Each structure stands twice: as structure tokens, then as C-alpha cells.
Amino acid sequence: MGVTTVTDLPGAPVRVPDVPGVLHTLFRSDQGGHEQVVLCQDRASGLKAVIAIHSTALGPALGGTRFYPYASEEEAVTDALNLARGMSYKNAMAGLDHGGGKAVIIGDPESLKSDELLLAYGRFVDSLGGRYVTACDVGTYVADMDVVARATRWATGRSPENGGAGDSSVLTAFGVFQGMRASARHLWGTDSLQGRRVGIAGVGKVGHHLVEHLIQDGAEVVITDVRPESVRRILDRHPQVTAVADTAALIRTEGLDVYAPCALGGALSDATVPVLTAKVVCGAANNQLDHPGVEKDLADRGILYAPDYVVNAGGVIQVADELHGFDFDRCKAKAARIYDTTLEIFARANGDGIPPAAAADRIAEQRMAEARPA
């Protein structure tokens, strides 16, 4: 195995055209930000991975491992950087004693994933000595973290049989629902979604739990997913739910009150914001804003945006608690505070005359700055 470490990569979302571009940003950019980036390779198992540590100001970096067939290594590095930065802000807003980090494994998990690869990855995580704590993300599951944990103590999101908390998507969905309730309170004066039409793009790990919360609250639910089996699972359980062909159809649905992106990032873009019919965006996906400025486009259209890294923090609250002996009721109580945090952000946005995304960033940056040693 080999490992290459680079430090001080940019804090803002970046487009990385090539490795020399990364190094240029690393040493010469004014942006600053990431503390450390580790490139990992194990030829025997086929592992190629990137571990990005954005900040340890509040404590050890905590964030999941994404297993995805990136088009290039450069794209993987870019994703790791942006996701790690998001975790710093998410953990700060969730009130956790953790900084932000993220890892990506390059490849198709359906064909490449093996115990040998996951163990090799775990050894790289372990080599960081606790500066980075990993968990599940897109393409990785509780069973995978059980394997990774055989090579390092710094793996969370494990099964209860192996001392872990199990599936973190349960509390992720619960937190998103609290963010929706806060958005409804801010916009419509009530925190109930009863009678509201909510569109969910992606009803997999988190989305199908979110459907349950909304149905119980009396909402009208519209869904879409690239996987027909995920849609069928929802429709079989809740025949009153409506399915549409794709996200393009969902965001144009007449009478949509809330749009919940719950798949991959970049859902809010120059192409989607102008045609979005919903008055609220509140979903579980990370990095929903395709580029800086989209948050202003939403505000200009009168669309209330609940920042993704605030409302989807239920999962990271759960895996962080696992390090100290998991207690579900304690975690659920912490995740319930996402309601209050979301309202705090909307109040700050109104007071400062800025979009909610900018208000959340200011609060998170203040918390990190206050925690950072002089």
C-alpha cells in the first residue's frame, strides 16, 4: 500500500481540473481550508480512495465513506473536498465535538467491493490515528463498516451486533422532517405538513423513512427514483403516494409545496431553480447547491431553502454518539433540535438580509473560529 498526504486545500467548493491544479490551489491559492488530503491505493484489492480532512478545530474529523464509480480521479478528489468541507459545517451546526472529513472510494461497489478492499481502506483510516472517523455514505452500508472496523477503531455506523448503532438513515430522515416542520412554521405559521404536497427525489436509504414521517403527518407525497424497485416499495406500502417519471417532472409538479432532494448533490442549479414550483426546499442530499449564487437565485424567487447540512445532520449525530456508547433516545433528542436550529438560521437570515445558506455558514464559521486555538 502507498499513501500520499497533502495539506491546506481550499475551503470553498472547487472545480479540480487536474492534479497540478490541486497542488496550485494547495500552495498558492488564497482560499485556504482543508488541513489534509490522503490519497490511498492498494493494488492487491483494487482500492483507490481519497480521505479529505477539512477541519479538526472542534475535534476529530467525522464523515462517511462514499463508494462511487467516478469518471476520473480528479472528480473523486473534488467530491471528497466538497463533502469534507460540508461535514465541518454540518458538525458545527449539530453541536458536535467533531470537525469535518469525508472519504471516497473510486469504483463501482457492485463489482469492486470486497472484504479485502474494505480492510485495506480501514488500515488507511487507522494510519491517521483518530484524526478521521468514518461511517456509511452512498455505496457503503452497516455491514461494510463492520468489516472496516476490523482494521480500525475509528469506524462508526456499525451493526448493533458489533457494538454499533446500526442504520443512521432513520435519524437522518427524522432530522430532515424536523427541518421541514421548521420551514412550515416560518413560512405558513404552523409546523404541520398536513395537506401540503411534498415531492421527494430519491426514496432509498433516507427517502423512504421520510415518506413515513410525512404520511403520518397528513402530507400528500409525490416521489421519484432512478431505481424502480425503490418506487415500488413505497407504492406497495402507501398506495396513496403518487410517482412521477423523473426529477424533471417532480420539480414541475403543479401545487408542490415542498421539494426534498434526497439523492446525490447538485439538485439546485441554473436549470432547475427557474422551473421549481415548490415554495420550500428541504431534503437529505448533500451539496444541493450546484454552485455559489444558487442560494440567492432561490431567495430571489421567494423559495425558502433549509440548508442541507443542517437538516440532514441526524445521521452524523447518531454515529458520533456511537463513539461514546450509543443511546437512541439521547440521539433522537439531539436530532429533534434541528427544528430549533433551522428556525435560528431563518431568523439570522432575515436579520442580516442574506439567504439562509449564508446565515448557516456564518453561524458555523463563528463556532469553528471560537473553538480554534489562537
Side-chain angles (χ1 to χ4, degrees):
M1 293 188 292
V3 58
T4 301
T5 300
V6 292
T7 58
D8 289 334
L9 284 168
V14 294
R15 303 295 184 189
V16 183
D18 50 35
V19 172
V22 174
L23 297 179
H24 175 85
T25 304
L26 169 61
F27 294 117
R28 300 174 187 172
S29 171
D30 294 331
Q31 294 173 346
H34 293 69
E35 294 178 11
Q36 187 175 21
V37 175
V38 182
L39 307 180
C40 313
Q41 180 170 241
D42 176 59
R43 293 186 183 276
S45 65
L47 172 72
K48 290 184 179 180
V50 182
I51 302 173
I53 297 174
H54 176 259
S55 171
T56 57
L58 292 170
L62 172 63
T65 297
R66 179 165 295 189
F67 204 140
Y68 190 75
Y70 293 95
S72 67
E73 288 85 357
E74 292 74 30
E75 182 182 326
V77 173
T78 299
D79 203 30
L81 296 178
N82 292 337
L83 291 168
R85 179 179 184 272
M87 289 305 304
S88 287
Y89 285 69
K90 178 187 294 190
N91 293 340
M93 291 303 295
L96 299 176
D97 295 326
H98 284 282
K102 204 80 172 188
V104 300
I105 298 175
I106 304 169
D108 183 352
E110 296 297 324
S111 58
L112 186 62
K113 188 187 296 182
S114 66
D115 283 6
E116 290 74 20
L117 181 146
L118 294 171
L119 288 168
Y121 169 67
R123 290 193 289 273
F124 279 111
V125 172
D126 200 63
S127 73
L128 295 172
R131 279 178 52 81
Y132 170 64
V133 181
T134 195
C136 303
D137 196 74
V138 174
T140 59
Y141 301 87
V142 170
D144 299 325
M145 289 304 109
D146 283 346
V147 177
V148 173
R150 287 157 50 190
T152 180
R153 59 176 293 196
W154 308 113
T156 62
R158 294 164 291 147
S159 67
E161 296 79 9
N162 286 279
D167 184 6
S168 65
S169 63
V170 174
L171 284 183
T172 302
F174 177 73
V176 173
F177 181 60
Q178 300 312 308
M180 279 192 193
R181 293 178 61 242
S183 301
R185 166 67 67 181
H186 180 80
L187 196 60
W188 299 306
T190 175
D191 56 20
S192 173
L193 278 302
Q194 184 172 4
R196 298 292 176 185
R197 180 174 289 181
V198 181
I200 304 177
V203 286
K205 272 186 178 182
V206 175
H208 84 276
H209 291 298
L210 183 58
V211 170
E212 299 293 334
H213 288 297
L214 291 165
I215 293 294
Q216 291 173 14
D217 203 38
E220 179 185 345
V221 180
V222 186
I223 64 170
T224 191
D225 197 296
V226 296
R227 298 172 298 276
E229 62 274 17
S230 296
V231 172
R232 177 50 53 195
R233 174 174 60 172
I234 299 296
L235 298 182
D236 287 345
R237 182 173 175 83
H238 300 290
Q240 70 270 40
V241 170
T242 302
V244 296
D246 51 31
T247 301
L250 181 67
I251 63 176
R252 293 172 171 82
T253 298
E254 185 177 349
L256 199 65
D257 294 299
V258 182
Y259 171 48
C262 293
L264 296 178
L268 303 172
S269 66
D270 294 337
T272 59
V273 170
V275 298
L276 186 59
T277 60
K279 297 300 181 184
V280 172
V281 176
C282 179
N286 289 307
N287 295 331
Q288 293 172 24
L289 302 175
D290 187 57
H291 61 79
V294 175
E295 71 281 2
K296 184 177 183 302
D297 295 337
L298 289 164
D300 288 346
R301 288 206 59 215
I303 299 172
L304 182 66
Y305 174 60
D308 49 35
Y309 65 80
V310 175
V311 302
N312 68 13
V316 76
I317 289 171
Q318 176 171 318
V319 296
D321 194 75
E322 185 178 313
L323 295 171
H324 311 287
F326 177 65
D327 183 282
F328 183 82
D329 291 337
R330 179 174 62 203
C331 287
K332 188 172 183 180
K334 290 180 181 179
R337 297 174 197 160
I338 290 172
Y339 176 91
D340 298 315
T341 302
T342 306
L343 287 177
E344 176 190 356
I345 289 165
F346 293 152
R348 176 71 175 266
N350 284 349
D352 291 356
I354 56 177
D361 285 355
R362 287 185 181 182
I363 296 170
E365 287 162 2
Q366 181 178 350
R367 292 178 181 177
M368 286 186 279
E370 290 173 350
R372 186 174 295 113

